[in-house]
Amino acid sequence: MPRRHANPYVPHDWAPHEKPAILGSPSTPIHSTPKRIAYGIVGLLVCLTGALGNAVVTANLQLLQGTFAAWSTEIAWLPAVYVMTNVSINLLLVKFRQQFGLRAFTEGFLVLYVLVTFFHLFVNDLSSALMVRAAHGMVAAALSSLGIYYQVQAWPARHRLKALTIGITGSSLAIPLARLFSTELLQIDEWRGLYFFELGLALVSLACVIALKLPPSDRKKVFEKKDFITFFLLAPGMALVTAVLSLGRLDWWFEAPWIGWALAGAVVLIVSAIAFEHNRSNPLLNIKWLSSGSILRLGLIMLLIRIVLAEQNTGVIGWLQYVGLQNEQMTNLAWSIFAGIVCGIVASCLTLNPQRLYWPTATALALIMVASLLDSQSTILTRPEQLMFSQFLLGFGSAFFLAPAMLAGIGVIADQRNLVSFSVLFGMSQNIGGLLGSAILGTFQTWREKFHSSQLADQLTTLNPLITERLQQYSQMYQSQIGDSTLLNVQATTLLQNAATLQANILAYNDTYLLTAAISAATLVWVFWRLIRLRITARIALKRATGSK
């Protein structure tokens, strides 16, 4: 073990194999096999704790709406406030870990999360539920990093990339897992069943983190007073953007005045933060580095992939919920997504190559494009059984690209001071990208549904013999129950209009799947163009170098 100092900010005397990779990360001593297994289990538990609580709430949002007697625009704040705090706290998390240690942050917020969740059990109120989600967003940001560090301890040095892959992608298992058992939790004591589960999971994680501590790390005073000015400018700005993306399509973009005011405020705050950081000698966010070509391209690729992956929840799950299916009726589909994610994690562990990080991204985009094209053949009779293969592909792609994307960003960090900048970039691309994808796809689906409804309405005329025949069939269905001919005709017309609306919706969803396929294809072409260009540039440079000799 390294020699300890009374001053925590004096570096330890590390052995060569123990030295932390970056400031704030734990050292890597050699552990026994049982202890490595324990680190791996705790790491996976911590990852799932950070993601599963919010996944359970998101998977049962419609049921919680009835429990809290809330409007759809009110209940949508539950996942929104989670993203608000999750994105914002990443601004401070890296430096907090470097100065105070990750354990102090994680244990402190885990205790806060346990207390808030516990007291929420005694208050049947949406406001207290929002407090729980906000606290969970902060805790989840810390737990995602903590899960990675525990996985690093679980694997020997030669398999460190596998540890990073499992730590980065482990939390993606939360969504399909939530759809497998959350209905049973609701049957225990309605919404309290979900929060009892969250409370229990947080307590178990807290006990495991305290019982199995991470090895020590170097610490250094890195915070500056100006860092908090940036935080208090950028955090509310990103919160306003999150609110707009979460509720814009529910209140509708051009009808709710608050959306315009929120966007205006977000622009002022974010631009002010960027201008303030740009002129600092030691910025919290390195704006010059973030605006470089390679980082902008990496961020855009991660953002586009998150947008097309929103097809799973906004598209397929949205359609199945629209036709009335609940989580217990989508169990096989959830297992299919779960299997796809597990296979994606395993494949990523076995094939990850730091020299070829763009190829997993290209593979994931190709699989997402194929899955979207398969989904675009849906009909009004499409149910989970017909969607299992395509959703397996989407699950595989979502897990397969994640670790290479993060490692690609870490690989271009020449200065550790840029770690905060990349952490914010990665968190924003995942969280804001997911919200942006849902907003774009949901808005596009609504717009196309209106278009198809108008097209079908033009054809709903009694001059069409097929329409007349269908109205007669509907009338015969209710003839024994409704004696009044006028009411019978109204009932038949209503059923016909409902059938037309259903058909318009599935056509709109198919258009949405085609949109995600087109975005995936365009991004894939762009990635290949970049790879070809880089290869040609490298060959030209090699020829010039050999020619000069």
Side-chain angles (χ1 to χ4, degrees):
M1 290 297 293
R3 182 166 57 87
R4 298 181 181 275
H5 301 273
N7 186 349
Y9 299 117
V10 175
H12 294 79
D13 298 326
W14 302 110
H17 67 277
E18 293 181 337
K19 187 175 177 61
I22 55 177
L23 180 65
S25 65
S27 56
T28 53
I30 298 175
H31 302 293
S32 63
T33 300
K35 197 169 185 179
R36 288 190 184 279
I37 295 173
Y39 271 119
I41 294 173
V42 173
L44 191 58
L45 174 65
V46 166
C47 280
L48 290 176
T49 300
L52 199 53
N54 188 65
V56 167
V57 170
T58 303
N60 296 277
L61 209 56
Q62 292 180 337
L63 297 175
L64 289 175
Q65 179 182 347
T67 300
F68 288 118
W71 296 96
S72 59
T73 51
E74 293 175 331
I75 205 67
W77 282 102
L78 283 179
V81 295
Y82 170 89
V83 177
M84 286 179 184
T85 55
N86 189 270
V87 170
S88 301
I89 207 65
N90 277 321
L91 289 165
L92 302 179
L93 179 58
V94 173
K95 280 198 171 184
F96 191 102
R97 182 174 70 240
Q98 292 173 344
Q99 183 163 331
F100 301 105
L102 181 63
R103 292 187 53 79
F105 179 90
T106 306
E107 291 176 10
F109 274 97
L110 264 176
V111 171
L112 171 65
Y113 179 48
V114 167
L115 292 175
V116 173
T117 308
F118 176 76
F119 286 113
H120 175 62
L121 293 173
F122 301 98
V123 183
N124 187 6
D125 181 60
L126 184 61
S127 299
S128 62
L130 293 175
M131 292 176 58
V132 174
R133 298 270 60 77
H136 190 197
M138 291 186 287
V139 173
L143 291 184
S144 60
S145 300
L146 193 65
I148 293 173
Y149 290 139
Y150 269 93
Q151 288 298 334
V152 168
Q153 301 299 320
W155 293 78
R158 65 181 183 276
H159 295 305
R160 196 110 324 142
L161 286 180
K162 295 181 176 63
L164 289 171
T165 300
I166 296 173
I168 293 168
T169 56
S171 58
S172 58
L173 294 168
I175 288 292
L177 280 176
R179 297 193 183 279
L180 288 174
F181 62 83
S182 56
T183 302
E184 285 73 14
L185 294 176
L186 286 168
Q187 292 174 354
I188 294 174
D189 193 12
E190 294 184 340
W191 64 273
R192 289 184 178 84
L194 297 180
Y195 285 95
F196 268 122
F197 172 77
E198 279 197 69
L199 178 61
L201 201 59
L203 286 171
V204 172
S205 295
L206 180 61
C208 290
V209 167
I210 293 175
L212 187 65
K213 298 181 182 297
L214 286 171
S217 63
D218 283 333
R219 289 158 58 185
K220 181 181 178 182
K221 291 183 178 180
V222 292
F223 270 122
E224 298 180 5
K225 292 180 180 179
K226 291 182 178 180
D227 292 338
F228 297 96
I229 296 177
T230 302
F231 176 78
F232 288 118
L233 286 173
L234 200 56
M238 295 309 303
L240 290 173
V241 172
T242 300
V244 170
L245 292 178
S246 299
L247 284 88
R249 67 189 180 99
L250 298 177
D251 284 337
W252 202 246
W253 307 101
F254 303 109
E255 295 183 5
W258 74 266
I259 293 178
W261 288 110
L263 287 176
V267 169
V268 171
L269 290 168
I270 294 173
V271 170
S272 299
I274 291 174
F276 179 75
E277 285 293 286
H278 183 72
N279 296 313
R280 287 181 62 186
S281 57
N282 186 26
L284 178 66
L285 297 176
N286 191 337
I287 303 302
K288 294 180 181 178
W289 182 77
L290 284 172
S291 59
S292 62
S294 59
I295 299 302
L296 285 176
R297 285 190 293 269
L298 177 64
L300 183 57
I301 288 174
M302 291 191 295
L303 186 69
L304 288 172
I305 292 179
R306 290 307 305 174
I307 288 174
V308 296
L309 285 174
E311 187 240 304
Q312 194 161 74
N313 288 321
T314 304
V316 169
I317 301 299
W319 160 252
L320 295 176
Q321 289 177 337
Y322 176 79
V323 296
L325 270 65
Q326 303 297 325
N327 287 330
E328 62 269 22
Q329 297 166 298
M330 294 186 277
T331 301
N332 291 336
L333 185 63
W335 277 117
S336 179
I337 297 171
F338 180 84
I341 294 174
V342 171
C343 291
I345 294 173
V346 173
S348 185
C349 288
L350 295 177
T351 61
L352 191 60
N353 184 351
Q355 306 302 321
R356 300 169 65 87
L357 292 175
Y358 274 101
W359 289 104
T361 301
T363 303
L365 284 167
L367 293 176
I368 294 169
M369 181 180 65
V370 171
S372 298
L373 290 174
L374 290 174
D375 289 340
S376 67
Q377 306 301 313
S378 300
T379 69
I380 58 174
L381 300 178
T382 297
R383 292 299 181 266
E385 291 72 22
Q386 290 81 43
L387 299 167
M388 290 177 62
F389 179 66
S390 63
Q391 296 311 295
F392 173 88
L393 294 179
L394 273 177
F396 185 97
S398 67
F400 193 62
F401 98 96
L402 199 56
M406 188 170 186
L407 291 176
I410 294 175
V412 296
I413 298 177
D415 189 341
Q416 287 197 19
R417 289 178 297 180
N418 295 332
L419 191 60
V420 177
S421 303
F422 175 72
S423 176
V424 172
L425 174 69
F426 188 82
M428 286 176 56
S429 69
Q430 299 306 296
N431 288 307
I432 302 298
L435 291 178
L436 182 61
S438 297
I440 292 174
L441 299 185
T443 301
F444 183 78
Q445 191 275 332
T446 301
W447 172 58
R448 294 301 294 174
E449 186 273 329
K450 300 302 180 186
F451 170 78
H452 288 297
S453 291
S454 64
Q455 293 290 102
L456 292 174
D458 292 340
Q459 302 176 30
L460 297 182
T461 171
T462 53
L463 298 177
N464 188 331
L466 295 177
I467 298 299
T468 304
E469 181 182 1
R470 180 60 61 90
L471 287 172
Q472 291 175 352
Q473 291 174 354
Y474 287 145
S475 298
Q476 291 174 0
M477 290 171 55
Y478 289 90
Q479 195 168 15
S480 59
Q481 304 174 24
I482 302 175
D484 190 303
S485 59
T486 302
L487 293 177
L488 190 62
N489 290 333
V490 170
Q491 179 67 23
T493 303
T494 301
L495 291 175
L496 182 62
Q497 291 173 344
N498 290 340
T501 301
L502 186 64
Q503 184 65 43
N505 270 282
I506 190 57
L507 291 173
Y509 275 108
N510 285 345
D511 292 344
T512 304
Y513 304 145
L514 288 175
L515 175 64
T516 59
I519 296 174
S520 302
T523 308
L524 184 60
V525 170
W526 180 39
V527 169
F528 276 126
W529 177 77
R530 285 291 307 167
L531 289 173
I532 294 170
R533 184 179 177 183
L534 290 173
R535 184 165 295 183
I536 292 173
T537 304
R539 287 183 179 179
I540 293 173
L542 180 62
K543 286 181 180 180
R544 288 177 178 175
T546 54
S548 62
K549 294 179 181 179

